Each structure stands twice: as C-alpha cells, then as structure tokens.
Amino acid sequence: MKTVQISLNSIGKVKSFVNTISQFEYDFDLISGRYVIDAKSIMGIFSLDLSKPIDLAIHTETNLDEILEALKPYIIAQ
C-alpha cells in the first residue's frame, strides 16, 4: 500500500480524478481526518472538505509507477 497527498479543489478535478482511478482495478481510499471513503465514489468525495489536502491510499504494490503517473495532476509535491 502507498499513500500520497492529493488536491481535489474543483468539481472538474473531482470528475477527472474519479474517471482516472476507475481505469484501475485496485482499491483506493481517501482519508480526511477520521473519514475514510472509497475514492471511486464521486458522492463520497463531495462529502469531504475539499479545501484541504486529502490522503489517497493505493491498495496495491503492482503497477504503482503507472498509477502514480496517471495521478500526477492531483498529487501534491512533497
């Protein structure tokens, strides 16, 4: 499992993020405070405070480079 911080500060970004991760068969969770939601759930994402960075947990060890490359527009540089 790998965790990265992402920013989803607009409706357009949320839609394109869900479309991007839906291409992968792995599980993704968004963690904001004490809330953990399925990152493929657009309704779940809108229940979070999108003004702050959100932790994205990627539940796989395979194809991580491909996944991280696809998620580059959303990842906050650390």
Side-chain angles (χ1 to χ4, degrees):
M1 183 178 91
K2 178 157 180 73
T3 303
V4 294
Q5 275 206 325
I6 62 168
S7 173
L8 298 174
N9 53 8
S10 72
I11 292 171
K13 241 180 165 179
V14 170
K15 285 199 249 183
S16 63
F17 171 77
V18 171
N19 287 337
T20 300
I21 66 165
S22 293
Q23 299 169 13
F24 299 101
E25 61 194 50
Y26 312 110
D27 288 331
F28 298 85
D29 289 326
L30 288 174
I31 304 152
S32 180
R34 60 190 179 116
Y35 299 102
V36 177
I37 59 135
D38 180 356
K40 294 180 181 179
S41 166
I42 206 161
M43 292 302 291
I45 293 172
F46 283 122
S47 71
L48 299 176
D49 179 359
L50 300 179
S51 67
K52 297 178 183 161
I54 303 167
D55 290 332
L56 172 67
I58 305 165
H59 296 281
T60 183
E61 295 301 324
T62 57
N63 296 337
L64 266 179
D65 290 340
E66 180 186 352
I67 293 168
L68 292 174
E69 183 64 31
L71 295 176
K72 240 184 199 172
Y74 315 101
I75 295 175
I76 298 170
Q78 296 177 356

